[in-house]
Amino acid sequence: MTTSSVMFVNEGIFGISDDAQVPMETVRWSNGLAAPMDHGAWILTGINTGHVRVTAQCLDAAPPVKAADWEEIVEVSVR
């Protein structure tokens, strides 16, 4: 399953979570792209303010890595 949406970004960051709560106190800043939390993650973007397209996919196995298409890649576990 794949879903895509346009989100408004403020201060270059948006949160993903299974509920509306995105508690900053559980953030683990271990890299510059995604910060996993106890129940979700903060995602850092390339713009400060504006709209970004976000796509999510549910996969049965790890996707193939196409590293040549990206400047930076990180992998984090999100519950």
Side-chain angles (χ1 to χ4, degrees), residues 14-65:
F14 68 89
I16 56 172
S17 178
D18 60 354
D19 62 16
Q21 307 282 326
V22 186
M24 284 294 292
E25 61 273 4
T26 66
V27 173
R28 292 180 296 279
W29 295 103
S30 59
N31 64 68
L33 296 176
M37 302 175 301
D38 289 343
H39 298 285
W42 284 108
I43 308 299
L44 294 120
T45 68
I47 66 169
N48 183 56
T49 305
H51 291 92
V52 295
R53 175 160 300 279
V54 177
T55 302
Q57 290 181 298
C58 182
L59 304 171
D60 293 328
V65 176

Side-chain angles (χ1 to χ4, degrees), residues 59-76:
L59 304 171
D60 293 328
V65 176
K66 299 175 185 173
D69 297 341
W70 299 93
E71 291 178 24
E72 290 185 68
I73 296 174
V74 298
E75 181 176 329
V76 296

